[in-house]
Amino acid sequence: AQTVTQSQPEMSVQEAETVTLSCTYDTSESNYYLFWYKQPPSRQMILVIRQEAYKQQNATENRFSVNFQKAAKSFSLKISDSQLGDTAMYFCAFISTGAQKLVFGQGTRLTINP
Amino acid sequence: EAGVAQSPRYKIIEKRQSVAFWCNPISGHATLYWYQQILGQGPKLLIQFQNNGVVDDSQLPKDRFSAERLKGVDSTLKIQPAKLEDSAVYLCASSLPGLAYSYEQYFGPGTRLTVT
């Protein structure tokens, strides 16, 4: 069974700083996707960034980028120039093309302080 | 494009009562999911529909939970009778079919259920 682990329950940084959220996963599958979802206090979950396992190049979306280490089964999210609106729960998630079932980590609560 | 709609947003019931949640997915999305998110945890898949057929309900407590998706569009999730441990946020999500759309799921705002 696939598992996703986020080892940082909470993090707090100052506005404009860079922050990195950690995620590790366990799978025997070779074809899969990894995601970071953001869940602000209003509860609507939105996709931040996606990484296909077959791509070696790390995905980037504006201030958000990932460090995908396939051999180590690690998938960290870096937020550059953090903003107050980045305050939210962040969930790492995994889906294999075989099982097609999205598995979430426990989440990291990120607070951006003014 | 309208997002995933859910109602109600909040519900408080007493244990042993019944409750129902409604979800309207994004137009054209064939796949619909119901998740349970207990406070401080990540969402857990309860049931997945492809059109109006069930793909995965392995984690649905079938003695008290039921779900249906009539006509392959709207869906309802019911709990009867509710237990204290059912207190959670129930999230609905929808997606276009798998690989071509990179498995991205779109989530609704959720229904926060409190069982007293």
Side-chain angles (χ1 to χ4, degrees):
Chain A
Q2 290 90 2
T3 59
V4 177
T5 301
Q6 295 178 249
S7 59
Q8 304 151 313
E10 293 190 32
M11 296 188 72
S12 179
V13 299
Q14 297 298 119
E15 193 175 8
E17 289 184 344
T18 294
V19 60
T20 299
L21 280 56
S22 300
C23 172
T24 58
Y25 59 96
D26 186 27
T27 184
S28 58
E29 303 277 346
S30 57
N31 299 314
Y32 53 87
Y33 289 71
L34 294 160
F35 306 89
W36 279 98
Y37 278 91
K38 171 184 177 181
Q39 190 176 41
S42 66
R43 291 283 176 183
Q44 188 107 27
M45 188 98 67
I46 57 174
L47 180 67
V48 174
I49 198 165
R50 165 181 49 231
Q51 175 78 42
E52 294 90 335
Y54 64 86
K55 289 187 176 179
Q56 293 188 348
Q57 186 174 5
N58 289 324
T60 61
E61 288 287 343
N62 301 312
R63 297 182 295 108
F64 299 87
S65 62
V66 299
N67 183 4
F68 174 46
Q69 301 290 327
K70 191 172 183 178
K73 296 181 181 174
S74 170
F75 182 61
S76 61
L77 174 69
K78 185 172 81 171
I79 305 174
S80 303
D81 185 25
S82 58
Q83 301 174 358
L84 297 179
D86 295 333
T87 292
M89 284 290 290
Y90 286 81
F91 291 97
C92 179
F94 167 101
I95 190 167
S96 72
T97 58
Q100 298 189 30
K101 181 176 177 177
L102 194 59
V103 177
F104 286 87
Q106 307 93 316
T108 296
R109 183 179 302 280
L110 176 64
T111 302
I112 308 300
N113 298 306
Chain B
E1 167 180 272
V4 176
Q6 290 188 248
S7 67
R9 292 296 309 277
Y10 305 91
K11 189 75 176 178
I12 300 175
I13 62 172
E14 295 182 352
K15 59 184 179 183
R16 292 187 290 274
Q17 287 188 325
S18 62
V19 64
F21 313 128
W22 172 82
C23 172
N24 181 246
I26 293 173
S27 177
H29 282 197
T31 311
L32 185 146
Y33 315 80
W34 283 102
Y35 290 88
Q36 180 191 59
Q37 186 179 17
I38 293 172
L39 186 64
Q41 299 181 18
K44 181 186 80 172
L45 180 69
L46 291 175
I47 189 167
Q48 176 181 342
F49 291 95
Q50 180 75 22
N51 296 308
N52 54 348
V54 175
V55 174
D56 184 346
D57 64 356
S58 57
Q59 297 193 87
L60 186 74
K62 299 180 186 62
D63 58 333
R64 298 184 299 106
F65 286 64
S66 65
E68 62 181 7
R69 189 183 185 196
L70 299 176
K71 301 180 182 178
V73 181
D74 293 7
S75 177
T76 56
L77 176 70
K78 296 179 182 178
I79 308 175
Q80 181 179 14
K83 292 185 176 182
L84 295 176
E85 58 261 36
D86 298 331
S87 293
V89 175
Y90 290 85
L91 298 170
C92 180
S94 69
S95 70
L96 290 163
L99 184 60
Y101 299 93
S102 300
Y103 301 99
E104 181 175 350
Q105 296 184 19
Y106 297 80
F107 286 81
T111 297
R112 181 186 296 274
L113 173 68
T114 302
V115 182
T116 63

